[in-house]
Amino acid sequence: MSPLKGYSLDYREEIKNLEIKGEKVTFYFRWFFIAIVFIILTIYYTEHSINNRNIFFISFAVVPLLYNLFLQYIFIKNKYKPFIKYLSMFIDTTLISIGIFISSYAYSLLYTITAPTVLVYSAILALSITRIDSMFVVFSTLYTVISLNTVYILWFKTFSNTIDYSMMMSLGYTHQQQIRKSIFLIILGFISYYTVSVLKKFIYSTIEASTKARNAEKRLIKQYQIILNNLNI
């Protein structure tokens, strides 16, 4: 059952339109990210030779490009469906998580440690607000926390023996720091959830007030017409 069932048609339409606009905001952010990635790759590969490892990263960067082209078609054909926001969230977070982890193999063991993972996941989580969907914010929060810790666990099991623990502590890549990062994302998720709830209440009250005003205007017009008809008699 739709979470909007039982609300007025105007409210459901407004929430749907805002959700699509929110998806488009993420869509444009993804284009910006794609542009930055390809600029960096272009600069890097003008000075370095291309090998199998590099081809993997180039193909990896193509995935969000293809997905955005798919979304472009969806928007043009007006075929947006609510599940798309979940698909977008899953693809963005998964690709970033894989990229952060794989970079430790491709470039440096310290890449995963020094990468601004919390900032990246926070940005993804903040963008979930634009969909105006409380349950989607819950999903986004859980998935970003799971992704953050999955990257950490995989990296720790794979590379922790190759790096001095004191260095990991100095860089803030320990179990305790990971718990703090997770708590931070959960708090951010709670704030995002509360923000969406407030926005939905504001939208609902605004639409209800507008609907009441229109209905009152219609009643006044109807009463005015009745009075005019009586005067004509």
Side-chain angles (χ1 to χ4, degrees):
M1 183 177 68
S2 171
L4 296 178
K5 190 174 182 180
Y7 289 96
S8 66
L9 179 61
D10 289 341
Y11 177 74
R12 294 199 301 269
E13 286 296 322
E14 182 64 21
I15 292 296
K16 180 181 178 180
N17 291 334
L18 289 173
E19 180 179 318
I20 294 174
K21 289 179 180 179
E23 188 62 39
K24 288 182 177 180
V25 169
T26 307
F27 170 80
Y28 294 130
F29 265 97
R30 196 177 295 110
W31 275 128
F32 176 76
F33 171 77
I34 291 169
I36 295 297
V37 168
F38 275 98
I39 289 172
I40 293 174
L41 288 175
T42 301
I43 295 173
Y44 180 83
Y45 293 127
T46 54
E47 300 178 358
H48 300 80
S49 60
I50 297 179
N51 51 39
N52 292 334
R53 180 188 66 183
N54 298 336
I55 291 175
F56 169 78
F57 274 92
I58 293 173
S59 61
F60 187 77
V62 169
V63 175
L65 172 63
L66 295 177
Y67 182 67
N68 251 22
L69 292 176
F70 163 73
L71 285 182
Q72 183 74 43
Y73 170 80
I74 293 295
F75 292 141
I76 291 175
K77 296 296 183 180
N78 196 26
K79 293 185 177 181
Y80 178 84
K81 301 295 181 182
F83 77 87
I84 290 178
K85 61 180 178 287
Y86 290 94
L87 180 62
S88 296
M89 171 65 190
F90 176 80
I91 289 176
D92 291 340
T93 307
T94 302
L95 285 177
I96 289 173
S97 301
I98 293 174
I100 291 172
F101 177 72
I102 295 298
S103 294
S104 291
Y105 281 103
Y107 298 109
S108 170
L109 296 180
L110 296 177
Y111 186 88
T112 301
I113 296 178
T114 57
T117 52
V118 174
L119 179 61
V120 173
Y121 288 127
S122 297
I124 294 175
L125 188 53
L127 283 172
S128 68
I129 298 175
T130 62
R131 275 49 161 242
I132 316 295
D133 187 331
S134 301
M135 292 309 300
F136 177 67
V137 171
V138 173
F139 170 79
S140 300
T141 302
L142 292 176
Y143 194 62
T144 51
V145 172
I146 291 172
S147 299
L148 174 73
N149 287 284
T150 299
V151 171
Y152 173 75
I153 292 170
L154 290 175
W155 187 94
F156 196 86
K157 288 185 175 181
T158 307
F159 301 113
S160 61
N161 293 330
T162 62
I163 295 181
D164 185 66
Y165 187 74
S166 60
M167 179 181 292
M168 293 174 59
M169 289 185 63
S170 64
L171 293 173
Y173 212 63
T174 61
H175 297 341
Q176 294 81 0
Q177 287 293 334
Q178 200 66 17
I179 292 173
R180 293 189 184 98
K181 293 174 183 177
S182 300
I183 293 174
F184 172 79
L185 287 179
I186 292 172
I187 293 174
L188 181 59
F190 175 78
I191 294 173
S192 300
Y193 182 91
Y194 178 76
T195 301
V196 169
S197 299
V198 171
L199 285 173
K200 291 176 74 173
K201 288 179 181 178
F202 174 76
I203 294 168
Y204 179 77
S205 61
T206 301
I207 291 176
E208 286 299 302
S210 177
T211 301
K212 289 179 180 179
R214 288 199 305 269
N215 291 336
E217 183 180 2
K218 290 178 181 178
R219 286 195 298 270
L220 286 174
I221 293 174
K222 187 175 181 180
Q223 291 174 359
Y224 181 70
Q225 290 175 341
I226 292 173
I227 293 173
L228 288 179
N229 291 334
N230 291 334
L231 290 175
N232 289 334
I233 293 175

